[in-house]
Amino acid sequence: PRVRDRRAGYQQSLNVLGHVKQVNPNVLTKTSIMLGLGETDEEIRTTMQELRENDVDVVTFGQYLQPSRRHLPVKEYVTPEKFEEWGVEAEERFGFKYCASGPLVRSSYKAGEFFLKNMVREKKKEREEAASAAAVV
């Protein structure tokens, strides 16, 4: 049993993400990690570090669900609290611009929408802080 197509491995994915940033550093890159296959916390942290070394901007975490008997079985159902911890760690410790993390999150699960809302919120906060600082002077 396999999780994905054998022609698309981890290193190849990292190489593609890194190449995109070499070609155009302004392009936002995103990838997804499915949890529940027996991975350790250290493996997840190592993966996040390697993604940031390749300047990946956005990461999503979701629960792996076995699509058929021909695929690998679920080893663990990750708690919503643990998904929340991964989201915080991705952004605060590793510096991802955005992280969607939850049991029902999928690779494209509103990631663009959430990212844009977050960027708008950050820009609004920056404008408000600049206006507040200008009012003090």
Side-chain angles (χ1 to χ4, degrees):
R2 300 195 65 81
V3 174
R4 59 183 300 173
D5 189 322
R6 68 182 179 280
R7 296 170 293 178
Y10 177 73
Q11 192 58 53
Q12 182 183 14
S13 295
L14 280 179
N15 292 344
V16 168
L17 290 163
H19 179 74
V20 168
K21 285 295 190 170
Q22 289 174 354
V23 171
N24 186 348
N26 297 318
V27 170
L28 290 175
T29 51
K30 178 185 87 63
T31 194
S32 299
I33 301 171
M34 300 307 289
L35 303 179
L37 287 160
E39 63 285 331
T40 66
D41 287 359
E42 193 53 41
E43 288 171 326
I44 295 168
R45 288 185 182 100
T46 298
T47 298
M48 285 195 281
Q49 181 62 44
E50 290 175 351
L51 291 169
R52 291 302 297 136
E53 288 169 1
N54 283 277
D55 205 19
V56 173
D57 302 295
V58 177
V59 65
T60 65
F61 291 98
Q63 173 67 53
Y64 171 74
L65 299 172
Q66 183 180 15
S68 76
R69 292 180 192 266
R70 294 179 302 145
H71 292 81
L72 292 172
V74 174
K75 295 226 177 177
E76 172 191 16
Y77 287 98
V78 180
T79 66
E81 294 78 17
K82 189 65 175 176
F83 276 108
E84 177 64 26
E85 290 173 21
W86 285 125
V88 169
E89 191 165 341
E91 291 178 359
E92 293 182 4
R93 177 178 174 188
F94 289 95
F96 286 94
K97 289 183 168 79
Y98 177 73
C99 177
S101 183
L104 300 178
V105 170
R106 293 295 173 259
S107 62
S108 61
Y109 179 82
K110 298 187 179 186
E113 177 185 340
F114 287 134
F115 180 72
L116 291 174
K117 284 182 181 179
N118 190 46
M119 292 299 288
V120 168
R121 188 171 40 250
E122 284 182 17
K123 294 293 183 190
K124 182 179 178 183
K125 182 179 174 186
E126 289 171 8
R127 285 193 304 270
E128 289 171 353
E129 289 173 353
S132 178
V136 171
V137 175

